[in-house]
């Protein structure tokens, strides 16, 4: 058996007997490989195409209206009365900011504490359990949170705090829950990435664990934590279904946590179904504002993160 | 006594970007012989080995000067198809790396890639290759189980079977025994002795005794230069260069 | 001294408390929905079509709509995302500008809120491409939304395939594409699968973008050109218009169950991945 095999290989003779490397054969194989590479590159280019198309189609529909009303007027005019041709998203612009900031007021501290807990304090089994819980929290769709807010939070607020319950407060509570996973995951990763030596050095100097966390680990993880907060904010501003179900959606300037409010995203989803003409354009203009805001936010974070990782690599 | 020259390296210089890893390497490798490459870590042994199947091309920024001939064909010639070259110059790496598939599929991978589809023909090749690699007895009853479950020594022989299945003429081995226990190592050395009847073998090793045991010719590398190249019995008994002597006695003594 | 100790104790309590709050929130949301909704879920609810705008009957057509949309989006996004990942990890030069831009694009796409995708899908697919409110409009929109997830997880999966596989395969005379298609992709499948599972979760939960691109018709979607309503959209409409709170709860239970299953599967495939390494 083995002998046979050897015969075979002997018969093939020299390394190149001129049979296999004729130009034609080589070129066919080369071309197939080349075409595959180009095809894959084309696929990779589709994400670029997608973002260009998204920007183009939203801006083309939105910008003319902003140009017509003037950016200032569009953003800060408080009168939204689309059927009478008055397109000011001032109340919603402020509404988005107020609900977002209010949600971060409680979720940022809670998220950071939990992130530190998971990375530094919890025993591994508890840390893993928490990671699973946070994943699940992230996996629940926004419409379910909105529904929960509608049937639980809103009635609770109505009962115990007054008003009709649909309010800035309800929105802030639900939105806060929704951005917790973003806050926790990114800042936890940043804390874990702090080199061990920093921590050991500090402990060796006689600092307690908590002193080390506060004076060494948190400062070292700062840029990651800021990223977490910024991306969390981006998520909060862009969130739609959860807020639309619990904030009441009145186009007024909120004067307290119990007043109803409408965000820019809610505005779009509420009126898109029947809007036409300039009214529809105004909704796209609202989308334009959102889009630019969030893309700029993301680009800043991503580019600075990339630059940071490149510096670290060098 | 001397066999036909299978591989001829002429004035090979190799650069990894700005760093020159090999200087003017000239070496004749005889057919059906085992040629060992020895030398301290980082002296360019692996680099030289990987020149012979053009694997260095995969590293961005590598540049090669000089010529390598195999059977009088210049392997760096534009006309040469790398795939054809690698088919005929097999390579066994330091760490046995079996593919995450069955034993059978591992061995059949090469032939399949090169267009053999007939199941019976594949069965034949797998059996022949495993037998030639002295592994058949141990695995013939579980060809379809995962290759990852084999021991390190078995994995290394599987890798050799995988190379043999492609029907190469030259086999390059880069420290093939460094991850193996003594028993597996001795099995591997026996295998090399058998294989050299049919193949031309170039082997890199850190183990001086191993080089002395298995090889017919030995090349001693130092800082990217081929300091001495001679018949193994000559080189180990009568090193011509002081540096060779220092190196082999340092290790032996 | 005693004071510091007391302080440290209190801080410890604070940390554990915050973790407890997180778990509490999760239990509250899931628990409440289950307690109120489980009673309304039965086989009829799943198999019957909705009647009178959802006030009566089950939710079968929305389940079909959800499956249909998810399948279409995966069908488009998985090949594209995996191909993108292969290009970035196996072909693009490390510091190429193209690769940098594609990576940046993927991350930016991941950050864009769904309502923006909805707007885009509406003007582009529904209006401009004249596809109307349909499974195909919604599926394409959803595909762009999950593309970054698939791309990124596939990239990670490919990166974690040992480099020796490549060298060994090439040294056997395999071409680059043979190596990728026969060795690297099969070895990366578990990781890619994790991305696919996560994307299914996203597709099931998506609401804002679907309302604007697939419509909210309660009919049974038969072809790609038919409009459809997903379970999430159904939940939104039932709750917002107060059509039937019982059915809203029932739908929410089903969505949460799906999410939990998906979460479990994703974890399973992730864990299998880390074990096989
Ligand atoms: N991809 C690479 N890029 C840059 N330099 C490299 C690369 N690979 C190897 N080198 C350098 O080339 C020199 C020769 O390396 P090579 O791997 O050939 O050594 P070696 O003799 O095989 O060593 P060892 O016995 O440790 O395996 C070393 O100085 C090494 O640092
Ligand atoms: Mg080496």
């Amino acid at each position: 058996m083995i002998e046979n095999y050897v015969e075979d290989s002997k018969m093939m003779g020299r390394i190149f007997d001129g049979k296999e490397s004729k130009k034609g054969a080589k070129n066919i194989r080369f071309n197939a490989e080349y075409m595959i590479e180009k095809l894959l590159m084309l696929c990779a280019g589709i994400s670029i195409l997608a973002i260009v198309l998204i920007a183009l189609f939203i801006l083309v529909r939105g910008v003319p209206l902003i140009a017509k009303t003037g950016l200032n007027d569009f953003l800060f005019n408080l009168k939204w009365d689309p059927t009478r041709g008055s397109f000011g998203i001032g109340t919603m612009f402020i509404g988005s900011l107020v609900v977002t900031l209010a949600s971060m007021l409680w979720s940022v501290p809670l998220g950071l504490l939990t992130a530190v807990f998971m990375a530094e304090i919890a025993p591994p089994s508890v840390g893993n359990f928490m990671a699973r819980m946070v994943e699940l929290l992230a996996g629940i769709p926004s419409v379910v949170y909105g529904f929960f807010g509608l049937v639980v939070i809103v009635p609770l607020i109505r009962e115990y705090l007054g008003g009709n319950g649909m309010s800035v407060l309800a929105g802030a509570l639900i939105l806060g829950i929704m951005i917790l996973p973003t806050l926790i995951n990114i800042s936890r990763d940043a804390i874990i990435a702090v080199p061990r030596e920093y921590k050991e050095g500090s402990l060796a100097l006689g600092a307690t664990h908590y002193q080390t966390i506060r004076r060494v680990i948190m400062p070292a993880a700062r840029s990651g934590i800021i990223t977490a907060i910024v991306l969390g904010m981006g998520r909060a501003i862009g969130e739609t279904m959860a807020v639309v179900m619990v904030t009441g959606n009145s186009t007024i300037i909120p004067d307290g946590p119990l007043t109803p409010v409408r965000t820019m995203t809610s505005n779009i989803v509420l009126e898109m179904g029947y809007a036409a003409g300039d009214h529809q354009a105004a909704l796209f203009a609202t989308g334009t504002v959102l889009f630019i805001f969030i893309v700029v936010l993301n680009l800043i974070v991503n580019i600075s993160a990339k630059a940071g990782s490149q510096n670290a690599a060098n | 006594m001397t066999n036909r020259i299978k591989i001829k390296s002429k004035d090979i210089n190799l650069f990894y970007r700005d760093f020159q890893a090999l200087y003017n390497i000239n070496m004749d490798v005889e057919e059906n012989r085992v040629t060992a490459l020895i030398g301290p870590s980082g002296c360019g042994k692996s680099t030289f080995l990987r020149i012979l199947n053009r694997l260095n091309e995969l590293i961005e920024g590598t540049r090669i000067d000089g010529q390598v001939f195999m059977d009088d064909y210049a392997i760096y010639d534009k006309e040469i198809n790398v795939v054809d070259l690698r088919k005929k110059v097999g390579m066994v790496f330091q760490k046995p790396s079996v593919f995450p598939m069955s034993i059978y599929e591992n061995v059949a991978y090469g032939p399949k890639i090169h267009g053999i589809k007939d199941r019976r023909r594949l069965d034949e090749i797998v059996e022949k290759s495993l037998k030639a690699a002295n592994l058949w007895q141990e695995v013939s009853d579980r060809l379809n189980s995962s290759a990852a479950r084999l021991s390190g020594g078995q994995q290394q022989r599987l890798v050799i079977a995988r190379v043999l299945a492609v029907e190469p003429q030259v086999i390059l081995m880069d420290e093939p025994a460094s991850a193996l226990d003594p028993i597996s190592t001795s099995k591997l050395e026996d295998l090399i002795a058998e294989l050299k009847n049919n193949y031309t073998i170039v082997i890199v090793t850190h183990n001086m005794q191993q080089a002395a045991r298995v090889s017919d010719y030995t090349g001693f590398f130092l800082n990217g230069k081929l300091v001495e190249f001679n018949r193994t019995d000559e080189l180990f008994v009568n090193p011509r260069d002081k540096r060779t002597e220092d190196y082999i006695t340092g290790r032996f003594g | 001294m005693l004071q510091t100790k007391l302080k440290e104790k209190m801080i410890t309590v604070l940390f554990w408390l915050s973790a407890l709050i997180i778990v509490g929130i999760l239990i509250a949301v899931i628990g409440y929905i289950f307690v109120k909704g489980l009673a309304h879920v039965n086989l009829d609810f799943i198999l019957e079509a909705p009647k009178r705008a959802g006030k009566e009957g089950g939710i079968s057509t929305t389940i079909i709509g959800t499956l249909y949309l998810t399948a279409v989006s995966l069908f488009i996004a998985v090949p594209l995302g995996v191909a993108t990942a292969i290009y970035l990890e196996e072909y693009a030069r490390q510091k190429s500008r193209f690769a940098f831009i594609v990576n940046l694009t993927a991350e930016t796409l991941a950050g864009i809120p769904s309502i923006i995708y909805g707007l885009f899908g509406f003007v582009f697919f529904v209006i401009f491409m004249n596809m109307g409110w349909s499974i195909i409009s919604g599926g394409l929109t959803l595909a762009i939304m999950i593309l970054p997830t698939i791309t990124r997880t596939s990239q990670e999966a490919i990166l974690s395939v040992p480099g020796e596989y490549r060298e060994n395969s090439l040294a056997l005379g395999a071409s680059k594409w043979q190596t990728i298609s026969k060795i690297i992709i099969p070895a990366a499948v578990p990781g890619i699968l994790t991305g696919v599972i996560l994307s299914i979760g996203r597709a099931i939960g998506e609401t804002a973008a679907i309302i604007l691109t697939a419509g909210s018709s309660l009919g049974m979607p038969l072809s790609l050109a038919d409009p459809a309503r997903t379970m999430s959209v159904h939940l939104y409409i039932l709750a917002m218009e107060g059509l039937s709170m019982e059915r809203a709860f029932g739908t929410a239970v089903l969505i949460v169950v799906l999410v939990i299953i998906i979460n479990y599967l994703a974890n399973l495939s992730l864990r299998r991945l880390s074990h096989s390494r």
Side-chain angles (χ1 to χ4, degrees):
Chain A
M1 210 60 176
I2 298 176
E3 253 69 89
N4 246 342
Y5 172 65
V6 173
E7 284 296 290
D8 261 20
S9 119
K10 272 275 160 66
M11 263 163 47
M12 295 178 70
R14 306 191 152 193
I15 293 268
F16 298 103
D17 44 22
K19 261 187 278 174
E20 48 277 277
S21 45
K22 281 277 170 276
K23 251 194 165 167
K26 179 176 144 192
N27 281 349
I28 286 168
R29 187 177 276 159
F30 175 71
N31 277 339
E33 291 279 318
Y34 181 81
M35 302 255 292
I36 287 168
E37 175 169 352
K38 289 299 153 202
L39 192 71
L40 291 171
M41 186 169 175
L42 201 71
C43 289
I46 285 187
S47 343
I48 301 178
L49 179 72
I51 202 153
V52 169
L53 283 178
I54 292 172
L56 196 73
F57 272 81
I58 290 192
L59 296 191
V60 162
R61 284 255 169 156
V63 169
L65 188 115
I66 299 180
K68 203 160 91 184
T69 54
L71 181 62
N72 247 331
D73 208 35
F74 182 68
L75 279 184
F76 302 116
N77 184 340
L78 303 181
K79 197 160 158 53
W80 172 261
D81 193 352
T83 44
R84 300 220 176 77
S86 172
F87 306 110
I89 61 165
T91 54
M92 298 163 248
F93 187 70
I94 292 167
S96 280
L97 289 183
V98 166
V99 178
T100 298
L101 293 179
S103 73
M104 298 181 73
L105 223 53
W106 72 273
S107 63
V108 167
L110 180 64
L112 288 188
L113 279 172
T114 310
V116 173
F117 174 78
M118 289 165 71
E120 284 290 325
I121 291 161
S125 59
V126 178
N128 287 339
F129 171 77
M130 287 304 296
R132 298 283 303 262
M133 292 299 107
V134 173
E135 261 168 45
L136 198 52
L137 206 62
I140 294 177
S142 43
V143 67
V144 172
Y145 283 117
F147 179 62
F148 177 78
L150 184 69
V151 295
V152 176
I153 309 258
V154 167
L156 280 179
I157 292 175
R158 184 167 48 222
E159 195 114 325
Y160 293 100
L161 301 175
N164 80 345
M166 302 263 198
S167 56
V168 173
L169 180 61
L173 286 174
I174 289 300
L175 256 193
I177 297 177
M178 297 203 54
I179 62 173
L180 274 171
T182 308
L183 291 169
I184 294 174
N185 282 334
I186 300 177
S187 43
R188 188 199 52 167
D189 287 350
I191 294 167
I192 288 176
V194 174
R196 286 212 75 77
E197 303 89 70
Y198 287 22
K199 191 179 155 186
E200 281 159 6
S202 162
L203 291 173
L205 288 174
T208 67
H209 194 178
Y210 292 119
Q211 286 168 333
T212 306
I213 289 173
R214 224 181 74 199
R215 295 183 202 261
V216 178
I217 295 178
M218 295 307 271
R222 204 183 64 193
S223 78
I225 292 173
I226 292 175
T227 303
I229 295 174
V230 173
L231 289 183
M233 186 166 133
R235 274 215 65 184
I237 289 198
E239 181 46 49
T240 311
M241 299 324 285
V243 274
V244 78
M245 293 173 84
V246 299
T247 53
N249 302 319
S250 316
T251 51
I252 53 168
I253 294 213
D255 57 7
L258 299 179
T259 31
V261 68
R262 181 186 289 201
T263 64
M264 295 190 283
T265 52
S266 305
N267 191 36
I268 298 171
V269 83
L270 284 170
E271 303 197 356
M272 207 45 209
Y274 60 88
D278 268 2
H279 183 188
Q280 199 187 67
L283 298 179
F284 275 91
T286 315
T288 302
V289 173
L290 258 173
F291 178 76
I292 292 175
F293 186 81
I294 285 173
V295 166
V296 168
L297 214 63
N298 271 279
L299 280 180
I300 292 172
V301 167
N302 287 330
I303 291 178
S304 64
K306 284 232 163 63
S309 72
Q310 234 147 41
N311 281 343
N314 286 342
Chain B
M1 220 20 220
T2 56
N3 283 8
R4 199 169 66 84
I5 304 296
K6 185 75 176 176
I7 305 168
K8 189 177 192 64
S9 150
K10 264 193 86 180
D11 297 325
I12 284 288
N13 288 283
L14 183 139
F15 302 82
Y16 291 119
R17 297 190 193 281
D18 301 333
F19 173 73
Q20 184 162 6
L22 291 176
Y23 297 84
N24 287 316
I25 307 295
N26 286 290
M27 188 189 288
D28 289 350
V29 176
E30 284 184 21
E31 196 163 31
N32 295 358
R33 295 282 189 233
V34 177
T35 303
L37 310 179
I38 60 170
S41 191
C43 64
K45 306 178 298 285
S46 300
T47 303
F48 180 70
L49 204 64
R50 294 158 63 95
I51 280 184
L52 304 181
N53 64 349
R54 290 179 58 174
L55 216 54
N56 280 321
E57 292 177 354
L58 302 178
I59 300 163
E60 253 180 76
T62 333
R63 210 179 75 239
I64 299 165
D65 274 355
Q67 292 263 16
V68 179
F69 297 96
M70 246 172 232
D71 296 330
D72 301 329
Y73 285 84
I75 64 169
Y76 280 87
D77 195 289
K78 277 205 294 284
E79 296 283 298
I80 298 290
N81 187 341
V82 197
V83 167
D84 290 332
L85 172 72
R86 293 193 185 138
K87 224 152 91 180
K88 293 178 178 178
V89 183
M91 181 152 190
V92 176
F93 296 82
Q94 174 168 1
K95 202 173 129 217
S97 165
V98 299
F99 297 140
M101 30 176 109
S102 71
I103 296 173
Y104 182 96
E105 290 300 327
N106 261 279
V107 183
Y109 178 74
K112 276 187 179 170
I113 287 289
H114 299 304
I116 297 177
K117 291 201 185 78
D118 180 44
R119 187 76 195 181
R120 249 180 311 155
R121 178 98 182 86
L122 284 173
D123 288 349
E124 256 171 50
I125 294 177
V126 169
E127 183 174 343
K128 262 192 296 196
S129 311
L130 284 170
K131 279 181 173 162
N134 290 341
L135 190 60
W136 177 251
Q137 277 201 333
E138 290 156 68
V139 301
S140 59
D141 55 340
R142 48 173 170 150
L143 290 178
N144 290 320
S145 65
S146 163
R149 262 179 257 144
L150 297 175
S151 75
Q154 289 173 325
Q155 289 193 8
Q156 195 60 297
R157 276 177 285 146
L158 177 64
V159 168
I160 292 175
R162 193 170 68 193
V163 168
L164 296 182
V166 184
E167 308 195 329
Q169 295 163 25
V170 178
I171 302 175
L172 311 173
M173 300 185 170
D174 194 349
E175 301 185 41
S178 66
L180 305 185
D181 61 279
I183 294 175
S184 304
T185 301
S186 107
K187 278 191 185 170
L188 182 72
E189 288 179 8
D190 293 346
L191 175 60
I192 291 173
E194 276 172 45
L195 290 174
K196 86 169 177 188
N197 296 322
N198 309 307
Y199 304 92
T200 306
I201 295 172
V202 184
I203 179 172
V204 171
T205 175
H206 269 288
N207 180 331
M208 226 68 56
Q209 286 102 325
Q210 187 172 62
R213 279 195 302 267
V214 303
S215 71
D216 305 293
Y217 287 86
T218 299
F220 171 58
F221 280 78
L222 189 64
N223 296 331
K225 297 187 178 99
L226 180 59
V227 172
E228 188 165 346
F229 183 69
N230 208 339
R231 294 171 48 113
T232 301
D233 41 17
E234 279 287 316
L235 187 130
F236 279 98
V237 178
N238 267 328
R240 271 182 240 144
D241 197 294
K242 178 81 174 62
R243 291 168 293 179
T244 315
E245 188 178 345
D246 288 348
Y247 184 69
I248 56 179
T249 52
R251 288 292 169 101
F252 276 148
Chain C
M1 198 58 206
L2 211 67
Q3 226 175 0
T4 352
K5 253 199 176 148
L6 194 70
K7 216 169 111 194
E8 298 240 317
K9 270 237 165 67
M10 277 167 58
I11 298 175
T12 310
V13 170
L14 190 66
F15 276 120
W16 280 88
L17 198 67
S18 39
L20 216 63
I21 293 176
I22 303 283
V23 177
I25 291 172
L26 194 62
I27 292 176
V29 173
I30 295 180
Y32 188 84
I33 286 173
F34 266 70
V35 167
K36 297 281 271 192
L38 220 45
H40 307 295
V41 179
N42 51 42
L43 213 56
D44 285 347
F45 183 67
I46 294 172
L47 297 180
E48 252 177 50
K51 289 183 205 103
R52 296 188 53 220
K55 274 186 213 153
E56 286 164 22
I59 59 166
S60 67
T61 59
T62 71
I63 295 177
I64 300 292
T66 305
L67 291 178
Y68 211 160
L69 264 169
T70 307
V72 170
S73 64
L74 288 178
F75 186 75
I76 299 160
V78 171
L80 269 183
V82 174
T84 304
I86 293 172
Y87 182 78
L88 292 177
E89 296 306 326
E90 297 288 332
Y91 288 92
R93 286 170 164 263
Q94 280 191 336
K95 280 180 187 147
S96 93
R97 171 164 301 199
F98 181 73
F100 178 81
I101 293 177
V102 173
N103 275 314
L104 195 62
T105 310
E107 256 147 69
T108 309
L109 279 177
I112 292 178
S114 40
I115 186 74
I116 299 290
Y117 282 106
L119 281 179
F120 168 70
F122 175 72
V123 269
F124 189 70
F125 297 121
V126 175
I127 310 269
F128 184 75
M129 305 284 277
N130 211 5
M131 294 172 178
W133 278 309
S134 60
I135 297 266
I136 187 71
S137 299
L140 284 165
T141 309
L142 213 46
I144 304 177
M145 297 179 69
I146 61 176
L147 190 58
T149 311
I150 307 252
T151 305
R152 199 165 331 144
T153 44
S154 305
Q155 270 179 285
E156 277 163 25
I158 290 171
L159 259 179
S160 70
V161 175
E164 297 106 60
Y165 289 178
R166 292 180 185 84
E167 280 200 326
N168 273 275
S169 171
L170 292 168
L172 287 167
S175 69
K176 188 164 186 166
W177 176 245
Q178 285 172 326
T179 302
I180 291 171
S181 61
K182 301 229 156 63
I183 303 283
I184 295 179
I185 296 178
V189 158
I192 295 172
L193 206 62
T194 310
V196 171
I197 295 168
L198 291 175
S199 302
I200 294 176
R202 175 108 197 247
I204 289 175
E206 186 46 51
T207 312
I210 302 293
I211 294 188
L212 298 186
T213 54
S216 55
S217 148
L218 267 175
M220 180 66 85
L222 295 173
S223 80
L224 286 176
D226 285 346
R229 183 187 289 195
T230 62
M231 292 158 73
S232 299
V233 174
H234 193 49
L235 169 59
Y236 170 68
I237 291 174
L238 287 181
M240 280 300 268
E241 299 182 0
L243 292 169
S244 162
M245 275 308 172
E246 285 138 47
R247 282 169 181 73
F249 269 110
T251 313
V253 166
L254 287 180
I255 294 175
V256 171
V257 167
L258 282 176
V259 166
I260 292 175
I261 293 175
I262 282 164
N263 207 270
Y264 175 76
L265 289 179
N267 253 299
L268 206 68
S269 82
L270 257 185
R271 207 166 307 161
R272 190 164 300 160
L273 194 68
S274 57
H275 271 298
S276 66
R277 288 284 125 74

